[in-house]
Amino acid sequence: MKRFSRAWFSLAIGATLISLAQAAHTQTPRPLALMPLPSSLTLQGGEFEIPSDLTIALASTDSERLRNAVMRFQKRLADKLGHPLTSHIITASAGTIILDIASDGEAVQGPDENESYKLTVTASSIAIHAPTTVGAIHALETLFQLVQPVNGTYSIPQVNIDDSPRFPWRGLMIDCGRHFEPIAVLKRNIDAMGAVKLNVFHWHLTEDQGFRIESKLFPKLTGKGSDGLFYTQDEARELVRYARARGIRVVPEFEMPGHSTAWLYAYPELASGTTPTGIRREFGVSDTAIDPTREATYHFIEQFLREMTTIFPDEYVHIGGDETPAPDWKTKPRIQAFMRAHHLRDNAALQAYFNQRVLAILTSLHRRMMGWDEILTPQLPKDVVVQSWRGIASLDAGARQGYSGVLSAPYYLDGMKPAEVHYLADPIPADTQLTAAEQKLILGGEVAMWGEHLNQHTIDSRIWPRTAAIAERFWSPQNVRDIPDMYRRLEIVSVELESLGTQHLTSEDAGLRDILRAEDISALRVFASAFEPVSFSERYQQQHTDQLTPLTTFVDAIRPDPPIRFHLELATQTFLGHPGSNDSQTSAARDQLQSFFTSVAASIPTVELEAENAPRLQPLKMRIEQLRALTSIGQQAIASLSSGTAAPSGWKQQSLARIADAQKPSAMVRCLFLPQLTDLVNAVQ
Amino acid sequence: MKRFSRAWFSLAIGATLISLAQAAHTQTPRPLALMPLPSSLTLQGGEFEIPSDLTIALASTDSERLRNAVMRFQKRLADKLGHPLTSHIITASAGTIILDIASDGEAVQGPDENESYKLTVTASSIAIHAPTTVGAIHALETLFQLVQPVNGTYSIPQVNIDDSPRFPWRGLMIDCGRHFEPIAVLKRNIDAMGAVKLNVFHWHLTEDQGFRIESKLFPKLTGKGSDGLFYTQDEARELVRYARARGIRVVPEFEMPGHSTAWLYAYPELASGTTPTGIRREFGVSDTAIDPTREATYHFIEQFLREMTTIFPDEYVHIGGDETPAPDWKTKPRIQAFMRAHHLRDNAALQAYFNQRVLAILTSLHRRMMGWDEILTPQLPKDVVVQSWRGIASLDAGARQGYSGVLSAPYYLDGMKPAEVHYLADPIPADTQLTAAEQKLILGGEVAMWGEHLNQHTIDSRIWPRTAAIAERFWSPQNVRDIPDMYRRLEIVSVELESLGTQHLTSEDAGLRDILRAEDISALRVFASAFEPVSFSERYQQQHTDQLTPLTTFVDAIRPDPPIRFHLELATQTFLGHPGSNDSQTSAARDQLQSFFTSVAASIPTVELEAENAPRLQPLKMRIEQLRALTSIGQQAIASLSSGTAAPSGWKQQSLARIADAQKPSAMVRCLFLPQLTDLVNAVQ
């Protein structure tokens, strides 16, 4: 939706980026580590050397939010440099860093907030111009990412950046219903969201498995429905402030009429028929549903939502609305009578009636309604927003009918897919059939982090760094699609995010230590590098988990799409280009592959011994055996390909059979190198 | 103070522990991993196999606190096993685990709380008997530590334990004044305290550098004195509840009359003369002091402390009282006149007057006063408790005068000493000269974690696992002093503590990644294993830090007393016993030493390259050079000693000179293997 500047086209491909820098000025050629990439960037050559005494001048707007953002920047900068930094924030038009910000922005940030900024770095100063504080916050994040080492010291390249987001709605949903996440976890994730310019934290607060937000009007919601694991109103308000300080909106979700066991256990009078006897521990779709036929239901919802608007100022309220089979609606005479009286011919029609009533309540509370695909029914007014978990066809169908939409289906993190798969999925693909007007209705996208298999230790590695790549999809121009360059930058951003507070890298070590109950996990760490978690649904097939299932097994410790996976892919393709060659590229690729297979193979005897004393490694016994065979096949394939000698008769068939065997489900993890190994084996004569 | 049972003596030495198990029953010999060791333990042979369905019977007391403790135990047990565990808590006298608890204990836990328990594990059931819920909480921690892998599955050895603490006051002080620590950090540290049976969290809440507890009566205390970094009253109350649930008291400290810059910046009318113009950023002793001569001062303190008693129910309130040079008291005519009028001949006398007034206030609030050594002045009533930072002589002197005392001097973690040094320091050493009555006045000890060089990322590795060893000193019989066995158990407990939530192990990796700004830190990790942080005072000499100094350098990432240090010490002594021998012990020791020197040496070229691009590694250049030489000396020494050949002429002298050179201050870290290397070099012919 935004125009790309000319400068952009030279930036879009990583390799070109370096040569651009080299062409413009031979002094300090180095690739940048920005993510998301700005819509326009021109390197001017040379560096801005960071002085130990900074004067930060607020040239126009001087708000508390802006000052706090500047102070956070200062602190992070000093931490990155590792030495003290004296700095002064003054109201003036000149300084080391000048922030010329036209206004603090809307009192309540919405999708229309102007988030653009201009950032100019010269040899002597840094200038940020933005229409709002939110733009300034984004500019400071870009500036922080520009601070990179050159010749043993940190500096900032001289640069002109003119940046604004492609989509106004760039969200991350975290499901805190199925498993509760402490506030500290949400705060560190909001920090990370800010670092990659996401702007909507969609807070999934209620589920069959738990009601997580305090209601003073209806205290049993958490009193009975949460196991004591919920956010107080003060905590929620503080989180809203925390997010706003980082340019992030908080859209709360209260699931209705389905996914409502916790509501109905607390207040059985709201139930359609079957009343729950406790919080639901099982996952999956529940039969319980709020009764849409009683006036008391709407009175309750009106009071509840009114109370929630005192906590959540955002214009949008998400009512869920998905997965409501509600068999009671089909069988209860009272409900059937109501449906006949109101000419509602099926459950979908009854749910549409319910939605209309809730919409009227929200409208009276000056809120707009948002819901999952299912809320989209013919009578629905056009000012609701549909979040699509069904996919782009469903999203586009909504847009053609005039509904605003947010795409979520391709951004389900529990699919455990590689970042590149999410990255290439576009809310408005290049070949979209939507008209320009319809495209305007696609507000953006939302990453969905469902909570069945999450706890506070594992959540970060499921969200990060993959979500940073998706954040680029939502912010940067449509043609930014260079996978190797994305992965190159993602590795740097990943570490920067941990510096900011997430634990997606260290949590793997912590998980492995917890399993081994020993500090030294060097062998297990190498062994683990050969595996990824399987997807949510594959896991669910292998182990029928519920809310009380411990999440402390090997699959919980390891990460989806670790960097090694893409490195192996690159090395395999490079090596297979000229497997017999000894040119430097091929040799490096061969070394990488050999080193991987050799070191994983070397870890096996130790891990095997350790498994004897680590009960939670016992289910991996079959994987250990497979890995022994597979690493050996890898080494043999490289040897054959390098020397150009044919494999013994039957080897290829046997090897492919071994690979096929390793693809069968076991221990809820998959060997991450099977596609590359298959390519190698197939290439052998 | 407690009697040791006969069983104890066979347990006190690790090696004997194993042979005890072997002698009694040949079935499953294995060393236990308890810390602190119980005062009496008898292994019965055989195992209790943990069923997947547990019935936990509350036979007498059935309190919310007890139920919560049992539920936490259940959850942790399932997490440890890694598979679902069905469990039911019932009120009955029979079950898989029976808790027969006489009472919930005192409404406010004090030093007199009965913390003893008996734990009996047979083949078919587990019984816990304790006079209070606090005893039951300790018993559950012991039981959890007993869950260890045998033959690929977790089980619990059949055992009789009769346990109670040697000292009633077993504390950890955390300074949250100089650097603020978020509540989540305190909670995870309180969890860890509970795991090793510490029972007093001493919360150092005010400092020159920050006032950290909200006062609604005097809002400027945090409004001006905290940079916005403080605990709300709700948060503090919640922390008190959290600690009580784990059998831990919370003793708050409000420093007066010195260390009070934050108070006086907020309320200058309390100042003796010089009024601060801001929060003090520098560390060290400040000249500012509360004015002890004005009635308004006592009115303020009375109101403030009254408010604090609504948050902190503990019988004790710590008033600090240390380091108050207060030059204003010597120069201000008004103060001098007051001193003459009240016959107070010097600053010490004036401070004693102040303490008496504060004591009267505390007494009226039904609280007892605690303070650092300096409060101990002749007129002080005997019901105050003195915390000794000056050492055991000062502590004993207090006891001889009839004062109760708590020892802290040998437990200053910022000295960065090995665990064994703290471990051997005893509040009542075997050769104490105190009478039995005087010994009763020694309530115990407190670990002190001062905050100059701490932040939320580094604090855990300064506290843990060393504090677990000190906790054993405070709990277990006096003659439990086996260093190798302590270290053996400490390595296991260390990992268990991380599983419980501390980050002392993973924080090193996170810190190194933050420095390198790269995910792969394998070389730097090995390199770092050769170093420890220098002590607080050595660091302060090399870098005059203040509150705003970034704590993101190499010294902040690495840990004091990592396991490798003691392993090297053991290996060196073993190897030097028979350096030319090829018996299995000597060979293993030789291999360990060689492997250490070889792998550290191998890491150097990579780290050297990485340092070029990691500005925060630049100060380590000299250390890199030294390590190259030192590892080579180590390898040469092992070779000479193994082959029995003499070193070339001058080699020894040159090598010792290199070692001496490496002992000079640089980069705020020390090579941790220099004592062992010196021994090796000296042993060469």
Side-chain angles (χ1 to χ4, degrees), chain A residues 541-561:
Chain A
Q541 282 158 21
Q542 292 183 51
Q543 179 194 36
H544 194 75
T545 55
D546 68 24
Q547 191 185 32
L548 305 176
T549 306
L551 299 171
T552 52
T553 49
F554 188 69
V555 61
D556 299 295
I558 63 174
R559 295 175 284 152
D561 201 18

Side-chain angles (χ1 to χ4, degrees), chain B residues 138-411:
Chain B
H138 293 322
L140 290 168
E141 293 293 347
T142 300
L143 183 59
F144 188 77
Q145 289 186 340
L146 286 171
V147 179
Q148 291 296 340
V150 178
N151 302 329
T153 183
Y154 277 111
S155 65
I156 301 174
Q158 294 176 35
V159 74
N160 285 337
I161 290 177
D162 188 345
D163 199 12
S164 59
R166 181 173 169 221
F167 293 108
W169 192 296
R170 306 179 307 279
L172 167 64
M173 184 219 70
I174 297 183
D175 169 10
C176 300
R178 290 178 174 85
H179 282 103
F180 179 75
E181 297 294 342
I183 281 285
V185 172
L186 302 183
K187 284 189 172 175
R188 69 188 187 223
N189 275 282
I190 284 174
D191 285 336
M193 288 176 69
V196 295
K197 303 186 175 61
L198 291 174
N199 68 354
V200 178
F201 172 54
H202 169 172
W203 201 356
H204 189 83
L205 280 163
T206 75
E207 256 306 335
D208 289 319
Q209 288 79 17
F211 201 99
R212 306 302 182 192
I213 178 76
E214 177 188 31
S215 164
K216 292 185 197 288
L217 292 178
F218 304 107
K220 282 189 284 184
L221 286 171
T222 53
K224 296 185 72 178
S226 78
D227 298 309
L229 298 169
F230 64 94
Y231 310 102
T232 66
Q233 296 197 354
D234 282 348
E235 286 173 330
R237 285 195 186 94
E238 159 62 16
L239 198 79
V240 169
R241 270 192 300 271
Y242 193 88
R244 177 172 165 77
R246 285 148 184 85
I248 295 169
R249 301 161 47 203
V250 177
V251 174
E253 177 179 355
F254 315 105
E255 274 263 24
M256 55 183 90
H259 286 278
S260 55
T261 306
W263 300 78
L264 304 182
Y265 174 53
Y267 292 93
E269 60 271 31
L270 297 175
S272 295
T274 321
T275 59
T277 55
I279 294 169
R280 183 176 156 97
R281 303 301 174 185
E282 309 79 49
F283 300 132
V285 178
S286 146
D287 283 346
T288 53
I290 290 174
D291 186 346
T293 70
R294 288 201 181 105
E295 280 310 303
T297 295
Y298 300 105
H299 183 63
F300 185 103
I301 290 173
E302 196 273 341
Q303 287 185 283
F304 173 77
L305 289 177
R306 182 181 300 279
E307 187 183 14
M308 291 300 109
T309 61
T310 67
I311 302 169
F312 300 104
D314 201 88
E315 190 185 358
Y316 289 81
V317 170
H318 201 300
I319 64 148
D322 58 321
E323 300 180 327
T324 311
D328 285 332
W329 295 358
K330 294 175 190 152
T331 55
K332 296 285 164 194
R334 181 175 49 76
I335 293 178
Q336 285 288 308
F338 181 91
M339 286 167 75
R340 280 191 299 274
H342 289 76
H343 310 294
L344 303 164
R345 73 164 182 280
D346 56 13
N347 274 13
L350 182 55
Q351 189 172 346
Y353 168 86
F354 173 83
N355 289 342
Q356 298 269 13
R357 295 289 306 267
V358 175
L359 176 60
I361 292 169
L362 286 172
T363 305
S364 76
L365 295 170
H366 311 290
R367 290 296 186 276
R368 296 181 63 173
M369 189 164 100
M370 184 166 189
W372 300 99
D373 288 292
E374 288 95 325
I375 66 162
L376 208 165
T377 49
Q379 292 80 28
L380 198 71
K382 300 291 188 243
D383 62 347
V384 306
V385 172
V386 177
Q387 179 169 14
S388 180
W389 67 274
R390 287 183 177 160
I392 200 151
S394 176
L395 183 78
D396 285 2
R400 288 204 189 86
Q401 295 170 57
Y403 292 101
S404 297
V406 168
L407 184 65
S408 263
Y411 312 118

Side-chain angles (χ1 to χ4, degrees), chain A residues 585-651:
Chain A
Q585 269 202 313
T586 306
S587 298
R590 185 188 297 115
D591 287 352
Q592 269 193 287
L593 293 171
Q594 269 173 337
S595 147
F596 173 77
F597 289 120
T598 310
S599 57
V600 170
S603 75
I604 292 174
T606 307
V607 171
E608 210 163 23
L609 269 176
E610 288 170 344
E612 292 307 311
N613 216 27
R616 279 185 263 155
L617 289 179
Q618 298 283 319
L620 283 164
K621 283 196 162 170
M622 195 209 283
R623 290 299 190 203
I624 293 175
E625 275 318 305
Q626 287 172 343
L627 210 53
R628 204 191 297 275
L630 295 170
T631 51
S632 162
I633 291 170
Q635 289 166 317
Q636 289 160 3
I638 295 166
S640 287
L641 289 162
S642 299
S643 62
T645 53
S649 138
W651 176 88

